[in-house]
Amino acid sequence: MDKYDSVNASNVCALSFFSGCGGLDIGVQLGGAKVISSLDFEPVAVQTLKANPFFAHSTHECADIRDKKGADYSSLLKSHNPEKLIIVGGPPCQPFSKAGYWITNEKRKGINDERNMVYEYLRIIDEIRPDGIILENVESMLHPTNKAIVEHIEQRFVAMGYHVRRYLINALALGIPQKRKRVIFFASLKPFKDDLTFLSEEEIVKVNVLDWIGRFDSETLSESEETTKGKTYDFELSEVPPGHNYIALSARDGYPNPKFVANKRFWNFLLKLHPLQPSWTIAAQPGPWVGPFHWNNRRLRVREIASIQTFPMDYVFEGTRRAIQKQIGNAVPSLLGKAATEYLISQL
């Protein structure tokens, strides 16, 4: 039975919201559920979903969740008639991002931010009433400033009759070659029987990025966008040792004729991968000199950032290079989605 047959044979179906280019949805299907519907507001992300045979059995809709009702899915659910139904999604994270901390608490909108789609996600969950739910978001959602929204999510789930678990999951604990933490809320109509078993920082798998992207370091796979030759900080990038950032060129690290002052720039300025260490978080919209860069003094290639996010090697991305970077950077690592889905299904 190949991966497509096993998906079609699943008796657990999933409705996906804020689907993006499918990072979480891939994991959902690898974890044992069949994604029968996806929805996203970005046309290019929906084009990516449609371009991949892994989701050939799914309906893909480019729409705003605010315009959707639970009743819109009645006929689809009737046609599939799943034994168990789950809803998965990660509402837009801008209201909870670390970038927001540069704004004073008096000016931050937080729970009232118009980009906060959590309420819409909870609304449609309440209208559909699935057996289980995954709600994922950025680590900084747990910042004290966001306490009200975290409490609101948990209280709403309980009010709807769900049991709730919340975890901060480090992708490294799953062997994913990236330092990336995500907050995941699990909700189930049945009480949870077990706890997650891969959360211990002491048990994090030793993983290096070379094992995942080394195969793509060939001139035949080069991209025009990857070169920094002749650009502003090309020489400085070449001087940064693998595993370091611009601070390696400062007086603090003993660099002769220092180019920079430590702690005066963002930490990921001229940040360079070390082949024998995991990657830092892949950004959705990095600035021109924001890393991680490849240890060979170039920007990472599409297939490299996709592999760091554990997308399948044959996964197709639509759009411009910038649009693809945004899709991949905003995605949930697929293997994290797989582990989360396996856990949820085991509790239903």
Side-chain angles (χ1 to χ4, degrees):
M1 179 179 288
D2 66 20
K3 61 183 178 181
Y4 303 116
D5 291 334
S6 62
V7 166
N8 289 325
S10 176
N11 59 5
V12 181
C13 287
L15 302 178
S16 169
F17 295 91
F18 315 104
S19 307
C21 64
L24 176 59
D25 292 3
I26 293 168
V28 169
Q29 297 204 154
L30 293 176
K34 179 181 179 179
V35 178
I36 58 174
S37 173
S38 64
L39 180 142
D40 200 86
F41 189 67
E42 292 286 344
V44 69
V46 177
Q47 291 169 16
T48 291
L49 292 172
K50 291 180 177 179
N52 285 279
F54 197 43
F55 298 118
H57 55 271
S58 307
T59 63
H60 306 293
E61 187 172 7
C62 184
D64 190 324
I65 192 173
R66 290 172 290 192
D67 299 326
K68 303 298 293 183
K69 304 294 183 185
D72 297 338
Y73 296 89
S74 297
S75 60
L76 179 67
L77 292 174
K78 185 177 180 180
S79 66
H80 284 274
N81 192 29
E83 290 184 19
K84 297 290 184 179
L85 175 68
I86 64 174
I87 287 181
V88 302
C93 63
Q94 292 93 335
F96 318 119
S97 68
K98 290 182 179 179
Y101 302 157
W102 293 97
I103 305 173
T104 62
N105 284 345
E106 292 77 16
K107 293 182 179 179
R108 289 186 76 227
K109 297 179 180 180
I111 198 168
N112 297 315
D113 196 308
E114 63 274 7
R115 300 169 299 174
N116 184 351
M117 292 288 108
V118 168
Y119 302 119
E120 294 297 326
Y121 189 50
L122 294 172
R123 172 190 60 78
I124 206 158
I125 286 170
D126 197 21
E127 292 174 1
I128 296 174
R129 306 288 300 171
D131 298 281
I133 300 133
I134 289 175
L135 189 164
E136 69 81 25
N137 220 287
V138 291
E139 173 190 9
S140 47
M141 189 184 202
L142 299 183
H143 187 275
T145 308
N146 298 319
K147 182 179 179 180
I149 188 64
V150 171
E151 291 179 347
H152 178 82
I153 290 170
E154 295 177 339
Q155 291 168 2
R156 277 291 305 277
F157 278 140
V158 171
M160 284 188 264
Y162 288 95
H163 301 268
V164 187
R165 293 280 179 92
R166 166 171 49 88
Y167 297 101
L168 178 61
I169 301 176
N170 190 336
L172 287 177
L174 295 166
I176 295 167
Q178 184 181 184
K179 300 174 182 178
R180 192 183 191 102
K181 294 182 179 180
R182 304 297 289 189
V183 177
I184 298 188
F185 297 82
F186 296 94
S188 171
L189 288 174
K190 293 183 178 180
F192 284 85
K193 299 171 288 186
D194 305 299
D195 206 340
L196 281 176
T197 59
F198 52 79
L199 297 176
S200 173
E201 295 286 340
E202 291 75 23
E203 296 177 2
I204 285 179
V205 178
K206 300 297 182 182
V207 61
N208 68 69
V209 72
L210 177 64
D211 287 344
W212 289 77
I213 71 171
R215 71 192 71 184
F216 305 113
D217 191 20
S218 166
E219 286 299 317
T220 61
L221 300 175
S222 64
E223 299 174 357
S224 60
E225 298 89 351
E226 74 185 43
T227 184
T228 64
K229 300 300 181 185
K231 304 295 177 62
T232 307
Y233 295 111
D234 175 45
F235 175 75
E236 286 77 6
L237 178 65
S238 69
E239 290 284 282
V240 174
H244 293 265
N245 63 1
Y246 77 97
I247 294 177
L249 310 185
S250 71
R252 196 202 76 173
D253 280 19
Y255 186 79
N257 301 316
K259 300 289 185 71
F260 305 105
V261 177
N263 302 319
K264 290 294 185 179
R265 292 176 178 265
F266 286 110
W267 69 275
N268 49 9
F269 179 65
L270 300 184
L271 183 66
K272 187 184 291 185
L273 293 178
H274 190 294
L276 301 182
Q277 297 173 0
S279 172
W280 290 273
T281 299
I282 297 299
Q285 296 176 291
W289 294 100
V290 168
F293 289 87
H294 196 278
W295 53 87
N296 285 338
N297 305 313
R298 59 172 175 78
R299 297 184 179 92
L300 293 174
R301 297 163 180 170
V302 166
R303 197 47 57 185
E304 290 168 335
I305 60 174
S307 291
I308 291 171
Q309 284 279 59
T310 64
F311 278 91
M313 284 185 60
D314 61 351
Y315 202 72
V316 177
F317 298 94
E318 297 291 332
T320 64
R321 178 63 177 79
R322 182 184 296 271
I324 291 172
Q325 176 83 35
K326 183 178 179 181
Q327 291 176 65
I328 297 174
N330 280 332
V332 176
S334 297
L335 292 186
L336 194 160
K338 176 179 183 287
T341 303
E342 289 174 337
Y343 172 69
L344 178 61
I345 290 177
S346 73
Q347 305 302 305
L348 299 181

